[in-house]
Amino acid sequence: MARNIRGFVLQLREMEYAQAAKALGAGDTRILFRHIIPGTLGYLIVVASLAIPGYILAESGLSFLGLGIQEPSSSWGLLLSKAQQIGISAIKERPWLFIPGFFIFVSILTYNYLGDALRDALDPRAEH
């Protein structure tokens, strides 16, 4: 991600509006805060919102395998692991034990839709 941001900053630095500000005598700090950071902020927000589902899935998967959060703390993966240890009979007898799986699915889907919406809203090159 750092390489992408660096490339994006180098691209923005060579844009006409940044060059015009420099030609008019604006300092490096002013160009940075007025032109470069606002141009990269949208990208950072989108990348962060699209990375969160990966973190949720990784933590849940590691906890499910017993490599993540351990008891007495709780996580969705740990709850699913406990439900899986009970066996296949838990689906019929105690279906509420699989609710954490539903919440994992919904949260990942929500963050993906949020990231897509933010990408569409913050893309300066998109036609609205």
Side-chain angles (χ1 to χ4, degrees):
M1 185 167 84
R3 285 162 79 193
N4 288 338
I5 293 293
R6 182 181 184 276
F8 203 58
V9 165
L10 292 175
Q11 178 185 2
L12 288 174
R13 183 182 69 179
E14 300 301 322
M15 297 296 277
E16 293 172 355
Y17 55 86
Q19 293 294 325
K22 189 170 190 161
L24 289 173
D28 291 339
T29 309
R30 181 171 175 82
I31 293 172
L32 182 68
F33 283 106
R34 296 281 295 184
H35 300 291
I36 307 264
I37 290 179
T40 58
L41 196 58
Y43 177 77
L44 283 174
I45 292 170
V46 169
V47 167
S49 68
L50 289 175
I52 291 173
Y55 300 147
I56 292 172
L57 200 57
E59 187 278 324
S60 298
L62 288 173
S63 294
F64 180 78
L65 295 173
L67 301 173
I69 295 175
Q70 302 293 321
E71 289 197 41
S73 298
S74 183
S75 79
W76 287 333
L78 187 61
L79 293 173
L80 280 177
S81 175
K82 296 299 178 189
Q84 188 260 343
Q85 288 175 356
I86 295 172
I88 197 73
S89 64
I91 295 174
K92 291 182 182 177
E93 297 171 6
R94 295 173 267 196
W96 61 86
L97 292 176
F98 293 97
I99 290 176
F102 174 74
F103 283 117
I104 292 170
F105 174 75
V106 169
S107 65
I108 288 174
L109 196 64
T110 302
Y111 275 112
N112 278 331
Y113 282 142
L114 175 70
D116 287 340
L118 285 173
R119 183 184 61 219
D120 292 342
L122 298 175
D123 189 11
R125 292 178 283 272
E127 295 180 17
H128 293 283

